[in-house]
Amino acid sequence: MKRWLLIPLIINIAVGVFACAWDDDTLAAEVNGLPTVADAIVGRIDVNPPLYYEIRIKLSMARLAKNRRDYEAYDNLSVAYDKLGRFSEAMSILAKKRAAMEGQELEPKSGDSRDPWYRYHANLGTVLAHEWVRRQPKADPKHLTEGIRQLQRSIEINPDAHFGREVVQVKILQMLNRKFGAAQSETDYSPESDWHAFVNKQGAANVIDGVIGMMALGAGADSPEMISLISSSLGRRDAHLSQLTTLRLQEMAAAKQIPKLDFEIASHYMPRDERGVEQTYQKLRANAKTFRKNRDAFMVAKLKAGQHPDSQSDFWEGYVPTPRLNLVEPPKPPRLPWPEILAGVGVIAGGGALLLLIRKYQPKRPLM
């Protein structure tokens, strides 16, 4: 069976699917690390409510009012506008950041993820790509081509960008450009083959980390396209994970979050215990839903009370994440080998009885 890649349908995606922006949340993700592959598949990923970004805009504006060279405040502000779909305002803030950097005559610092120029190009490329997606089917192709160019510039400045997100993002955008953008003249172009060649070149683990990084820092927990790309990057040894992706996509199709699946294109790496994997998936999915529900409830209550992580260092005090499921059964106490023990006792008892009988009936020797 074929794997499922949604590239041919990708212009129907949610706006945030290619998010790969740099703000304070990116730094937090660096410290905390990426979700696991299973987390990404079942949706156990941090998702911030819109109110989070609305408050961040006010806080970032206040920071810039005090210091026009607070470049990280520009990052927070432009990303927040982009998250809320406010393209013009995001572009305006990025233009102001560029003017401030040029006024200070800053030069890019290669390999520094805090470098304001690196972040500027990464965020500008992301905002342009998002606008191209939002405007479908009447998007300006220049937004996509310029977005790719800006992201490539960010990679030139920092080739080792955390999680490898920019490299993966650029590849996806290039595939879109060949399929739907200004370079759509290749009628025989196969996005599936292109993606598999990319995975072979970059390494499956690196590509999957990049995809998960995009999900954790923008695309969110419910991106069927990203889940499909994870599936298309897995190998034969990952049959159980591959089956988890199929089950998640089937769930989305049943909920009409995506077009009805043609099950002829489900994963062809099938685990031996399909029923066991399905039971595991249901447990993991329920855990992910509870995790997100509890986190969202905690955040919204604090945000409505006027608190925000950008201004309160103790914002997360009292928050206890829903624990991950421990799917590994605890080791059972060693079982005593009763059959063997009883057999041994029987042998010893029988041998002892036989010895007694021999001694009892053994003829006595005459006395000398």
Side-chain angles (χ1 to χ4, degrees):
M1 294 183 181
K2 293 182 181 178
R3 289 172 176 269
W4 182 28
L5 264 180
L6 284 180
I7 297 297
L9 301 175
I10 211 155
I11 55 174
N12 296 320
I13 59 177
V15 166
V17 72
F18 296 119
C20 191
W22 268 92
D23 58 8
D24 284 351
D25 296 335
T26 311
L27 297 175
E30 283 190 325
V31 173
N32 297 328
L34 284 173
T36 66
V37 180
D39 284 345
I41 293 170
V42 301
R44 189 185 162 101
I45 295 178
D46 295 346
V47 178
N48 297 326
L51 182 59
Y52 175 88
Y53 297 105
E54 292 169 4
I55 296 176
R56 171 167 278 181
I57 288 173
K58 297 177 182 178
L59 295 173
S60 300
M61 292 290 284
R63 286 171 58 177
L64 287 174
K66 295 179 181 179
N67 179 11
R68 291 294 173 182
R69 293 179 177 176
D70 186 344
Y71 298 119
E72 293 185 2
Y74 285 108
D75 296 330
N76 281 353
L77 190 52
S78 61
V79 172
Y81 278 134
D82 182 55
K83 294 276 191 180
L84 297 173
R86 295 160 66 173
F87 172 73
S88 298
E89 290 157 297
M91 293 293 287
S92 175
I93 290 299
L94 288 168
K96 291 178 180 179
K97 180 183 180 181
R98 182 180 185 109
M101 292 188 295
E102 289 176 340
Q104 198 179 356
E105 297 184 345
L106 290 182
E107 294 293 332
K109 296 179 181 178
S110 181
D112 184 356
S113 63
R114 288 182 175 271
D115 175 57
W117 275 109
Y118 159 68
R119 295 188 182 190
Y120 165 79
H121 290 292
N123 288 341
L124 179 57
T126 297
V127 169
L128 287 166
H130 283 177
E131 182 65 4
W132 179 83
V133 172
R134 290 187 188 100
R135 296 295 180 183
Q136 291 299 330
K138 299 180 179 180
D140 184 346
K142 292 180 181 179
H143 285 152
L144 181 57
T145 54
E146 180 61 17
I148 293 172
R149 192 180 74 84
Q150 292 294 333
L151 288 165
Q152 288 174 326
R153 177 57 183 143
S154 74
I155 295 172
E156 290 174 2
I157 296 172
N158 186 1
D160 300 319
H162 197 55
F163 304 146
R165 293 172 301 123
E166 278 86 8
V167 174
V168 177
Q169 184 183 18
V170 165
K171 181 59 184 178
I172 296 173
L173 293 177
Q174 288 174 333
M175 292 167 67
L176 284 172
N177 197 32
R178 294 179 68 176
K179 189 70 179 178
F180 302 108
Q184 57 182 325
S185 58
E186 300 174 82
T187 56
D188 60 345
Y189 173 63
S190 170
E192 290 85 356
S193 298
D194 193 4
W195 181 258
H196 291 150
F198 173 70
V199 172
N200 290 335
K201 179 179 179 181
Q202 298 292 329
N206 294 330
V207 172
I208 290 173
D209 277 354
V211 173
I212 294 175
M214 292 173 67
M215 294 176 73
L217 298 169
D222 303 309
S223 168
E225 295 79 17
M226 298 294 105
I227 294 169
S228 295
L229 291 176
I230 290 176
S231 179
S232 293
S233 307
L234 294 170
R236 292 184 179 277
R237 295 183 179 180
D238 303 308
H240 290 84
L241 290 173
S242 184
Q243 180 67 3
L244 289 181
T245 63
T246 299
L247 292 168
R248 183 73 196 282
L249 294 171
Q250 289 176 355
E251 179 187 325
M252 290 179 168
K256 298 183 179 180
Q257 295 174 319
I258 56 176
K260 183 178 180 181
L261 279 180
D262 174 1
F263 291 105
E264 289 299 316
I265 51 178
S267 169
H268 63 268
Y269 295 148
M270 303 304 292
R272 294 179 180 178
D273 183 15
E274 288 186 57
R275 185 175 182 82
V277 174
E278 185 168 357
Q279 292 173 346
T280 297
Y281 170 77
Q282 296 300 334
K283 294 177 182 178
L284 291 172
R285 185 75 180 108
N287 177 264
K289 290 179 180 179
T290 301
F291 167 80
R292 288 172 59 183
K293 180 180 178 181
N294 292 344
R295 184 179 185 275
D296 191 67
F298 180 90
M299 288 191 72
V300 169
K302 288 237 176 179
L303 293 169
K304 287 184 175 179
Q307 300 181 54
H308 194 280
D310 290 357
S311 56
Q312 273 84 27
S313 59
D314 61 348
F315 179 88
W316 293 104
E317 186 175 330
Y319 172 65
V320 180
T322 301
R324 282 186 173 87
L325 291 180
N326 181 12
L327 297 175
V328 179
E329 293 185 6
K332 297 179 181 179
R335 181 183 65 85
L336 291 176
W338 287 112
E340 292 82 356
I341 291 175
L342 293 175
V345 170
V347 169
I348 294 172
L354 180 61
L355 181 60
L356 289 174
L357 287 172
I358 292 173
R359 293 187 65 181
K360 181 178 180 181
Y361 294 104
Q362 183 179 15
K364 296 181 179 179
R365 296 182 179 180
L367 296 174
M368 297 297 294

